[in-house]
Amino acid sequence: MDYRRYARVEIDLEAVSHNVRGLGGLTRPGTLFMAVVKADAYGHGVIPVARTVLASGADRLAVATVEEAVELREAGIASPLHILSEPPASAVDLVVAHDVVATVTSRPFAVALGRAAASAGTEARFHLKVDTGMNRIGVRAEEAAEFAAGLKDFPGLCHEGTFTHFATADVPGDWDFERQLERFAIALEQMRTDGVDPGIVHSANSAATILHPETHMDMVRCGIALYGLHPSQSTYGRIDLQPAMSVKAQVSFVKHVGMGEGVSYGVTYRTAAPVAIATVPLGYADGLHRAASNKLEVLIKGVRCPQIGRITMDQVMIEVPRDLGVTPGEDVVIVGEQGGVTLTMDDYAVQAGTINYETACAFGMRMGRAYRRSQSGTVSSA
């Protein structure tokens, strides 16, 4: 491995392309495809991923913050670009200057956005967020039509779309999901009755795109599945997703210790017999969850080896069979394949007591990335 430190993330961009094509193939012709690349593309690197998904058929991109949107624009990304939450009113000039589609959930922000656009001699496109039961952000479903009508003729504004977000789309047969879908349909019907065109209507996240074709509407909005990670167990077997991220390192130090020796802070682990301990320079500052201490498994020479002791900020210790002959420089896989054995992001998320969304995002904290296209090898590093 040729890089600055003994730990890195590898991203297979061809896997991302494969996933975009597969998800898009679930929708009817003409359905727009929004690729969600917020949080640095869920830890995968926003610029390479954005270029890949657009080249693979995505029509639009979505982020969470103005800063993320500006980064994409400054990298030369010209596609329609959405911010999925309403930004601060102080950011409206940036939103207008970079031609970003804002989410609107309050009248004060909408007014500020319209005035900024009118002052610049343009119109600002926005999508109205309707809260149908997630109870996070958005105009209440029963108030959405009246709210939208109040902005209909406001100077500088273009109501381009209307959307909602499901809380339980990944749970087949869930009553809350059905209620949210019904509330959204009623809100849209009332808008049209009141003479408001809701524009591009969208509601389907990754789980809904895979499980609920009735939610595809005018556009689907896929995030976690782009990266080859399933939103829940219920989507397995419904689509072929290829994981894009592998997490790898190298052994930096090996020592042999006797029975009863303590390992790491707090001595939460003691050796039951003489063992070899391999130190790997990867810790919770790199996204390796401390909660996975004494639960994590890694691959060394294709053998599953247990992590022992508390995971520290920069290093972690692995117990390896003495006869495995591990030496410094040995490759270690935290997520990925080695010797025909695979450790998945889901495996690691279970060990860390969380979900694959969080673990993938966390690995973007300070680790360098190498990008490749399947078997063609590494194409660039970051």
Side-chain angles (χ1 to χ4, degrees), residues 340-363:
V341 182
T342 300
L343 296 178
T344 68
M345 190 69 74
D346 286 342
D347 293 333
Y348 168 56
V350 169
Q351 294 158 1
T354 185
I355 57 175
N356 54 18
Y357 295 71
E358 183 179 5
T359 54
C361 289
F363 281 123

Side-chain angles (χ1 to χ4, degrees), residues 170-189:
D170 57 340
V171 182
D174 184 74
W175 178 80
D176 283 303
F177 167 77
E178 297 294 342
R179 183 172 66 165
Q180 281 195 261
L181 188 57
E182 181 181 9
R183 284 175 172 172
F184 192 44
I186 292 170
L188 293 169
E189 182 180 1

Side-chain angles (χ1 to χ4, degrees), residues 187-273:
L188 293 169
E189 182 180 1
Q190 188 61 56
M191 280 187 201
R192 295 182 177 111
T193 299
D194 293 351
V196 175
D197 181 359
I200 300 169
V201 176
H202 51 113
S203 65
N205 55 10
S206 288
T209 299
I210 297 167
L211 297 173
H212 302 286
E214 72 275 18
T215 68
H216 292 179
M217 302 177 187
D218 299 319
M219 179 165 67
V220 297
R221 206 173 55 236
C222 295
I224 192 70
L226 295 178
Y227 310 102
L229 302 175
H230 283 267
S232 74
Q233 290 295 317
S234 60
T235 61
Y236 279 89
R238 303 293 292 268
I239 186 173
D240 173 34
L241 297 177
Q242 295 181 2
M245 179 184 287
S246 299
V247 183
K248 300 180 179 181
Q250 287 184 334
V251 173
S252 61
F253 190 81
V254 178
K255 68 161 43 177
H256 297 270
V257 301
M259 182 178 65
E261 290 289 336
V263 179
S264 195
Y265 293 117
V267 190
T268 60
Y269 183 88
R270 289 187 182 276
T271 58

Side-chain angles (χ1 to χ4, degrees), residues 5 62 67 100 152 156 168 221 233 238 242 320 327 333 338 350:
R5 59 177 299 206
E67 291 83 357
V100 177
K152 185 177 177 183
T168 58
R221 206 173 55 236
Q233 290 295 317
R238 303 293 292 268
Q242 295 181 2
V320 296
T327 58
V333 171
Q338 186 186 67
V350 169

Side-chain angles (χ1 to χ4, degrees), residues 84 103-105 127-131 136-139 163-165:
L84 293 175
T103 288
V104 164
T105 61
H127 284 216
L128 175 64
K129 176 65 177 290
V130 179
D131 182 9
R136 183 171 60 177
I137 62 169
V139 178
F163 72 111
T164 195
H165 188 63

Side-chain angles (χ1 to χ4, degrees), residues 72-105:
L72 285 163
R73 287 291 188 245
E74 291 180 344
I77 304 296
S79 70
L81 177 56
H82 295 244
I83 299 176
L84 293 175
S85 297
E86 184 178 276
S90 58
V92 292
D93 289 334
L94 277 174
V95 170
V96 172
H98 291 280
D99 188 24
V100 177
V101 182
T103 288
V104 164
T105 61

